[in-house]
Amino acid sequence: IIETVVDTKTYVDNHIPVNVVFKDDLYYVTPEMFGAVGNETTDDTTAITNCFAYAASHRIDIRGKGVYRVSQPISLTADRLNVDLFQLSSWTSFEGYLLTINGSRNNISFDTLQSTHSKGLRITNSANKESRNNRINIGYLLADGDGLTIAGSAANYISYNTFNINRIKSTSGNCIVNGDYATENQFYNTQLEGESGWGVYGTGSGK
């Protein structure tokens, strides 16, 4: 496989093969660099997954102006990343959440997170990683199921996270679930709209 070195200014926001070697002066990546189309109809799952994995391993910020449609759950395990994407959407039914975040001191921004057949956003932990001091900024979070879940299964706390979500709408679940190991998280300017379930539901140690 021949790997190509591309100067930063020549490929920002363009379609670039996944096997490029990014130069050291790169300060952010876009999903389009990994093959995303961002037109709301094309399945961008692989591109988003590869983009998130590359950014997490290299601690490089993520930016994108497209409407990225995915057909499988997306995970981001990282620390100290800035993520600024316009919209992440799914019209596919699958187990789990549209987006799961595990890590600390990340700044995550979306205009819209939309999952019409599955759960929305989860902030969680793992055996060797806490989720603390994240800043989550979302204009509109729509889910079929629980909209936002803050819960983990490992004895590391999910705490001191700040949520500025203008609107959370759940069509068949709870708007916010506060679960195990979640403590001292703060919400600002959040409107809750639930067609069934609770606005805020506490379970486990999050009651």
Side-chain angles (χ1 to χ4, degrees):
I1 298 175
I2 298 175
E3 295 181 323
T4 305
V5 178
V6 182
D7 183 78
T8 304
K9 294 182 178 58
T10 66
Y11 63 68
V12 171
D13 295 326
N14 292 323
H15 297 271
I16 299 299
V18 174
N19 65 331
V20 299
V21 177
F22 294 128
K23 293 181 67 174
D24 291 339
D25 62 348
L26 180 68
Y27 58 95
Y28 72 87
V29 292
T30 69
E32 284 78 5
M33 293 177 185
F34 297 84
V37 179
N39 64 355
E40 193 174 8
T41 58
T42 301
D43 189 341
D44 290 325
T45 303
T46 300
I48 292 291
T49 300
N50 290 338
C51 179
F52 279 21
Y54 185 92
S57 63
H58 292 80
R59 285 195 175 179
I60 295 175
D61 295 346
I62 302 170
R63 300 180 188 178
K65 299 179 181 179
V67 179
Y68 306 105
R69 180 173 181 173
V70 298
S71 57
Q72 297 177 22
I74 300 298
S75 295
L76 176 63
T77 300
D79 297 315
R80 300 179 184 275
L81 281 191
N82 295 311
V83 178
D84 187 0
L85 294 178
F86 180 68
Q87 183 169 329
L88 186 67
S89 299
S90 176
W91 289 270
T92 304
S93 178
F94 49 70
E95 293 294 326
Y97 293 79
L98 171 60
L99 177 62
T100 296
I101 297 171
N102 182 3
S104 296
R105 300 186 183 279
N106 298 294
N107 292 308
I108 310 294
S109 296
F110 287 91
D111 181 85
T112 303
L113 276 180
Q114 177 175 290
S115 185
T116 58
H117 291 85
S118 300
K119 298 177 182 179
L121 172 65
R122 185 182 189 191
I123 311 298
T124 190
N125 61 9
S126 58
N128 59 353
K129 184 177 287 293
E130 298 178 329
S131 285
R132 291 176 177 256
N133 300 108
N134 295 292
R135 296 178 62 87
I136 311 296
N137 302 290
I138 301 172
Y140 180 37
L141 171 56
L142 170 66
D144 180 27
D146 296 331
L148 168 65
T149 296
I150 310 168
S153 58
N156 282 316
Y157 283 103
I158 310 167
S159 57
Y160 304 106
N161 299 291
T162 301
F163 297 88
N164 191 336
I165 304 176
N166 294 340
R167 182 183 175 198
I168 301 177
K169 182 175 181 180
S170 172
T171 57
S172 63
N174 305 293
C175 290
I176 299 173
V177 176
N178 198 59
D180 287 333
Y181 304 107
T183 179
E184 303 292 339
N185 296 294
Q186 298 180 332
F187 288 83
Y188 297 95
N189 306 315
T190 300
Q191 175 182 332
L192 305 180
E193 299 180 26
E195 296 182 8
S196 63
W198 297 84
V200 180
Y201 178 76
T203 182
S205 61
K207 289 184 177 180

